[in-house]
Amino acid sequence: MRRKLAAYYAGPGRHDEVIVSIPTGGYAPNFHLRRDVSRIAVEATGAELAPPMLAVLPFTALCIHEKVFAAGVTDEIIYAAERDARLRVASRAIMFQFRESRYSLEEVATHAGSDLVLHGTIRRVQEVRRVCVELSSRWGQILWSDRIDIIGEGELDVQERMAEAILERLTGGALRDRGIPEIASSAQVQPPGSCRNRAR
């Protein structure tokens, strides 16, 4: 249901005034108003929207011995995203506070002052490391997801390649195709109350 809602609001419902979401871990729907003031101001003045603020959660290692590797991938993603003019990024000091804690995506977004949350899992099978990654709104709607396999032995090299692959796919079409600038500007309003490509 969350995926269907995300697809609807990224397509036919992208201009709806009311957004319905189902938070992760719950079943009761939430209702939010979309007040796209920023977009209206942009159209009136010809100014450009500020890049969306991205929070990169520490990636979850599905194998206990991959925890250090997952932290390294998170760090590399933040490093790469900081250098992309299409994004603003929450600091490492904020994001690594969530490494060993339980949280909701809305709590993360509020704490980091972000519009979007990037999160994922990492596991290793023999020489292959697989990352499953999602981009979510602050209310838990999945806006984009992907799955990437990287083969290699040197951990630093694999971490860098994995981070580069994630950012390339995220900024190479996912943000534009999902109408992220509109979603990002509407996410500033406080609520009232997979692909199978491989990179080697």
Side-chain angles (χ1 to χ4, degrees), residues 11 13 28 38 56 75 78-79 82-83 88 123-124 126-127 141 187 193:
S38 297
V56 182
D75 194 58
I78 294 173
Y79 175 85
E82 286 172 345
R83 283 150 181 77
R88 293 175 296 147
R123 64 185 182 273
R124 180 174 184 173
Q126 296 179 349
E127 78 280 9
Q141 295 170 318

Side-chain angles (χ1 to χ4, degrees), residues 139-155:
W139 297 307
Q141 295 170 318
I142 298 174
L143 306 174
W144 168 80
S145 65
D146 207 339
R147 188 178 74 181
I148 301 169
D149 290 349
I150 301 286
I151 296 176
E153 292 299 327
E155 289 204 350

Side-chain angles (χ1 to χ4, degrees), residues 57-60 66-72 94-103:
L57 273 171
F59 277 43
T60 301
E66 291 290 293
K67 281 189 173 184
V68 174
F69 179 86
I94 292 175
M95 299 317 303
F96 275 93
Q97 295 180 50
F98 295 98
R99 187 175 178 181
E100 302 292 342
S101 62
R102 297 179 63 85
Y103 46 78

